[in-house]
Structures are given as C-alpha cells and as structure tokens.
Amino acid sequence: MMQLSVRLVPVDDVTLVIALTGELDSTTKPVLAAFLDPLPQTPVKQVLVAAGDLWFCDLNGLELLARTHRALQEQDGYLALAEAQPSLRRLIALMSERSPAAIPMFTSMPEALAAAGVEAYRTPEPPVKRRHLPRMRPVLRTQPSAREQARPRREPEPAQARPADPPIELDATRLPKIIFESRSLRHQIRHQQQALQDRLHIATEARTRLLRSRRRCDDSLLAMRSSLSEARSILTLGQAGRVTPHFSDRGP
C-alpha cells in the first residue's frame, strides 16, 4: 500500500515549506490535495516543496503540483521543488516542453529559500523542560544553641516591594499560522482515518470471498467423496453377481 507523509513548516506570512516523504500517485494524491488546494485562498504566495524523501511521483502527482503552481501564479506566487530525485526532474523536464508554465526546481533547500527572499531560517527547537531541584527539609530546633544566644540580634529590615512582572503579550502574527497548521493536521488525520476505513472494508470483503470459496471447495470435496463411494459399491456388486462357467468331461 502506497503511503505519503506531509509536513507543513511555515517560514513567514507568505512562505511555506512542505516536506514530502513516501510515494505520490493516484492513491495518495487526495492527501496532498487537502493541503495544496486551499493555499491560493490564503496569504501564502511561495510554496517550497522539499522532495528529497519523495521516492516516487507519477503523472497524477505531478499534475497536482503543476495545478497548484498555476493557481499561485495567478496570485503573483509560485510553487517550487527542491532536492527532487533524478526521475522526478526528468518527468518535469518532459512536462515543461509541453507547458509554458514550468515548475521551478532547485538543487537544495537553502537555494530555494534564498530565491524566495528568506535570509536565514531555522526549524523551531522543542522547549527545554527544567528539572526541579530537591527541597531541603528544615531542621526544627527546640532550644537555641550557645552561639546563637551570644550573637547579637539584628532587627529585621523592612521588606521591599517587588516590581510586578510585565504583562505577557500574545503575538498576534503567529495566531493565523497556528490556526492554519492545526486545520491542516485535522485534514491529514481525517484523510488517514478514511484510508484506514477503506482498507478495513477491502479486507472484510476479501475475507468474505475466501470463506465462500472455502465453502464451495468443501461442497465439491463432499460430492467427490459421495461419487467415489457410489462407484466402489457398484464395482463390489458387479464382482459378486458375476458367475464363472464350469465345464465337465462327463457326459449326461
């Protein structure tokens, strides 16, 4: 069964990186189409497809990429491929001979990002979880020691007011990215669930066909055994009823 993994990495408000892993054909085309089709209606203008781990792509998948490229061109944008396999580059070269709007290709992702106007880009690192230090239990003393009794007591200093922490401000520019990414993940999960249900339906039908074939084979075997038993009984009766003639030399 063909599989395709799609990972969305927003770079900025108008640039989006899509990392593909697996095989893109007529079976997995709807999975990628769920992410690419809404892009012309969003602020995204530049879509960079990281195809280094895309092992296979046929004409159906390439037509989907070209369709998205044409739709983005109408919005003053484009779709480009980076780190594509040699077979995919040859297929795009053959397709560009017939279509004037060829898909741009780059040998590396940094080159594609530089062409898109992105100077530096780093993937977000996961937050580091801080470990809590062990707490020391206080030792209760019933009586002060002699050293503490001889030490002069100091008057406690008045507590100073601690400055209040500045209020946390939410970055409103990142909210559309988070919403768009969460919607994309929900679409991907929905398509994966539908694919699992289709596989389960196919497996159930195959099991039903196998049970029917087994039933027919059992009926045929039972009929063959009945025919064999009937043939043996007929042969036994024929041998018992056969009379062997007896000749004698004596006269009447």
Side-chain angles (χ1 to χ4, degrees), residues 103-251:
I103 300 176
M105 291 186 294
F106 298 94
T107 56
S108 63
M109 183 54 67
E111 182 182 352
L113 291 171
V118 179
E119 297 180 357
Y121 171 71
R122 294 181 180 178
T123 56
E125 298 180 356
V128 179
K129 296 183 179 180
R130 298 181 178 179
R131 302 178 61 182
H132 296 283
L133 297 177
R135 297 179 179 179
M136 303 298 293
R137 294 183 179 179
V139 179
L140 300 178
R141 294 181 180 180
T142 57
Q143 296 180 359
S145 61
R147 182 178 298 179
E148 291 178 353
Q149 292 178 357
R151 184 182 303 171
R153 295 183 180 181
R154 295 181 179 179
E155 296 295 333
E157 298 179 357
Q160 298 179 358
R162 183 179 178 182
D165 296 333
I168 300 175
E169 297 181 358
L170 295 176
D171 189 2
T173 59
R174 290 189 58 85
L175 290 178
K177 299 179 183 178
I178 297 174
I179 295 173
F180 177 73
E181 188 172 358
S182 63
R183 289 179 180 176
S184 301
L185 291 175
R186 285 200 301 269
H187 283 299
Q188 185 177 6
I189 292 172
R190 192 177 305 166
H191 283 289
Q192 290 178 354
Q193 289 178 350
Q194 184 64 33
L196 289 175
Q197 291 178 359
D198 295 340
R199 295 178 187 175
L200 181 61
H201 181 67
I202 294 173
T204 304
E205 290 183 350
R207 182 175 180 272
T208 304
R209 290 195 295 268
L210 287 174
L211 291 176
R212 290 177 181 174
S213 300
R214 181 181 177 183
R215 227 178 267 119
R216 288 196 295 268
C217 291
D218 292 340
D219 295 340
S220 300
L221 183 59
L222 183 61
M224 291 176 63
R225 288 179 178 175
S226 300
S227 300
L228 182 60
S229 177
E230 185 178 357
R232 286 179 178 175
S233 62
I234 292 173
L235 290 176
T236 303
L237 292 176
Q239 291 178 358
R242 184 182 301 172
V243 179
T244 305
H246 180 70
F247 299 95
S248 177
D249 296 337
R250 298 179 181 181

